[in-house]
Amino acid sequence: MGVAVVRYALPDTPTRWGIVRDQTVHTLNLEGDDHRELMRCYFESRETFEAAIGGSVGTLSEVTLSAPLRRDIQLLCQGLNYADHRLEGGLDKGDENDENLLFFKAASSICGPNDAIVRPPGCELLDYEIELGLVLKNTINRPVTITEDRLQEWVGGLVIANDVSARDFMFGAPAMQWFRGKSQRTFCPLGPVLYLMDSEDFQQLYNLKLTLNLNDELRQEATTDQLIHKPAKTLTELSSFVDLRTGDCLLTGTPGGVQVGVNTRSAIAILLNMRNDKKRREKFVSAQLARAPFLQPGDRLHSTIQSLDGSIQLGEQYNIVCDI
């Protein structure tokens, strides 16, 4: 099995690498904060990695946890990749023959797994999206055909992500500004665990369970066998037009249960005001607030991802929403 790595700090000590065993953090005496170097050591010099593991420093709840990925990566995303999320978006269930919705999210949106999510000024439709993140093991700088049995050549790690979204920014701006709506600072809590995968872990890739609770109420729950466009196909498609680097992260889409949804009022607000950005935003916001509440300061999010048999655990995220 692979290993669960975290970035942690203790009072009056700098942030450093550690590994998690049975909820206990052990030191990992490797220099630097670059997860790409960490992955290279694990996959290419396992003896060095194992020799760097030291004693315990406390439980996960006793240390301060940071995002395990640096913010100088590419953060790529898939949208509408679960049938129930497509349905709540007013579409059909979809299948692998439908177009794969791909977009970028600014890596500057990455924050720690327990950091506050800051609602930006003017945002009324703040939403959550739990997602499984895949961390690339090798660079892809040419078109390649990746099959499921070769996926381990390209994917090296797993991580929890929350693709936080300002829906009014997305649908109330010219040409539908997904980048602006998804790239605000703190809009991507990441971690706590970077799970470095061994070959046998790939048998569990489609047996991972995602859950998100809002104020202790279950809102999202799914397993990765429900993904419409699987990672191998998606990376093959991405390789046809964009360079991907070791350590980059692909967010694989969110299941149903988000706050936003398409009803008749929302659809009319968009269609009848396509050329009037201000009016479209006002009407869309009004229609959305009439059907569901959105995230407010003080709201608490709790997210988890683990395999159905418990052999892979990516930790837990706890985030509170706040205003600037």
Side-chain angles (χ1 to χ4, degrees):
M1 299 298 293
V3 62
V5 181
V6 293
R7 290 284 290 166
Y8 77 94
L10 294 167
D12 303 319
T13 65
T15 303
R16 61 185 301 174
W17 291 113
I19 68 165
V20 182
R21 290 174 173 167
D22 297 324
Q23 301 298 307
T24 299
V25 179
H26 296 254
T27 59
L28 184 60
N29 298 308
L30 295 174
E31 296 296 327
D33 64 352
D34 194 326
H35 66 282
R36 291 160 289 209
E37 291 298 323
L38 175 84
M39 294 174 69
R40 187 172 294 112
C41 181
Y42 183 77
F43 291 116
E44 299 179 9
S45 184
R46 188 67 60 89
E47 290 184 2
T48 300
F49 187 95
E50 296 291 342
I53 299 174
S56 64
V57 295
T59 65
L60 281 170
S61 62
E62 294 172 331
V63 301
T64 300
L65 296 162
S66 301
L69 304 187
R70 284 171 57 97
R71 300 169 80 197
D72 59 351
I73 62 170
Q74 293 187 104
L75 197 54
L76 303 103
C77 306
Q78 291 178 262
L80 302 174
N81 205 23
Y82 286 82
D84 53 357
H85 184 44
R86 287 176 59 89
L87 290 171
E88 69 186 357
L91 304 173
D92 58 23
K93 293 173 59 176
D95 59 38
E96 62 181 9
N97 296 313
D98 289 312
E99 186 163 356
N100 197 352
L101 175 57
L102 303 168
F103 58 95
F104 278 104
K105 184 179 179 85
S108 57
S109 65
I110 292 174
C111 64
N114 301 324
D115 289 353
I117 295 170
V118 179
R119 186 174 66 170
C123 175
E124 297 181 77
L125 304 181
L126 186 65
D127 207 350
Y128 50 78
E129 292 189 11
I130 186 175
E131 306 203 11
L132 173 69
L134 306 179
V135 185
L136 293 194
K137 181 180 181 180
N138 287 307
T139 291
I140 304 174
N141 54 17
R142 57 183 171 79
V144 294
T145 299
I146 299 173
T147 56
E148 288 292 332
D149 60 332
R150 293 187 59 202
L151 190 59
Q152 61 185 294
E153 297 177 29
W154 308 102
V155 173
L158 305 174
V159 67
I160 301 176
N162 191 338
D163 179 21
V164 179
S165 305
R167 305 296 188 185
D168 40 353
F169 292 6
M170 292 167 60
F171 293 99
M176 308 302 182
Q177 290 278 16
W178 280 43
F179 185 71
R180 182 186 296 274
K182 288 179 172 288
S183 295
Q184 303 286 313
R185 295 177 183 90
T186 74
F187 270 27
C188 190
L190 208 62
V193 165
L194 168 59
Y195 185 85
L196 301 179
M197 304 177 73
D198 284 343
S199 58
E200 61 265 31
D201 293 315
F202 283 83
Q203 301 172 17
Q204 299 291 339
L205 185 57
Y206 302 117
N207 293 315
L208 300 175
K209 183 178 180 180
L210 294 73
T211 64
L212 180 142
N213 286 267
L214 170 61
N215 298 328
D216 300 321
E217 178 184 342
L218 181 64
R219 291 298 183 90
Q220 291 187 281
E221 183 176 41
T223 50
T224 47
D225 64 325
Q226 299 167 6
L227 289 169
I228 297 172
H229 301 286
K230 301 293 195 290
K233 174 190 174 184
T234 300
L235 291 174
T236 297
E237 183 175 351
L238 284 167
S239 79
S240 70
F241 66 92
V242 67
D243 287 348
L244 305 169
R245 303 185 299 264
T246 300
D248 285 351
C249 186
L250 171 66
L251 306 188
T252 55
T254 197
V258 297
Q259 308 284 63
V260 74
V262 174
N263 56 10
T264 302
R265 282 186 62 187
S266 299
I268 291 174
I270 293 174
L271 293 174
L272 295 186
N273 301 286
M274 189 59 69
R275 300 173 64 181
N276 187 327
D277 299 328
K278 181 178 180 181
K279 188 174 181 181
R280 183 175 68 249
R281 178 169 177 170
E282 290 175 351
K283 295 291 186 180
F284 181 75
V285 168
S286 175
Q288 287 297 305
L289 291 177
R291 61 169 300 279
F294 282 75
L295 294 177
Q296 300 294 320
D299 280 344
R300 296 171 287 107
L301 295 170
H302 174 216
S303 306
T304 68
I305 299 179
Q306 65 177 30
S307 61
L308 295 175
D309 67 0
S311 61
I312 296 176
Q313 300 196 25
L314 303 187
E316 301 178 81
Q317 284 189 3
Y318 296 94
N319 307 104
I320 295 179
V321 178
C322 70
D323 279 338
I324 294 177

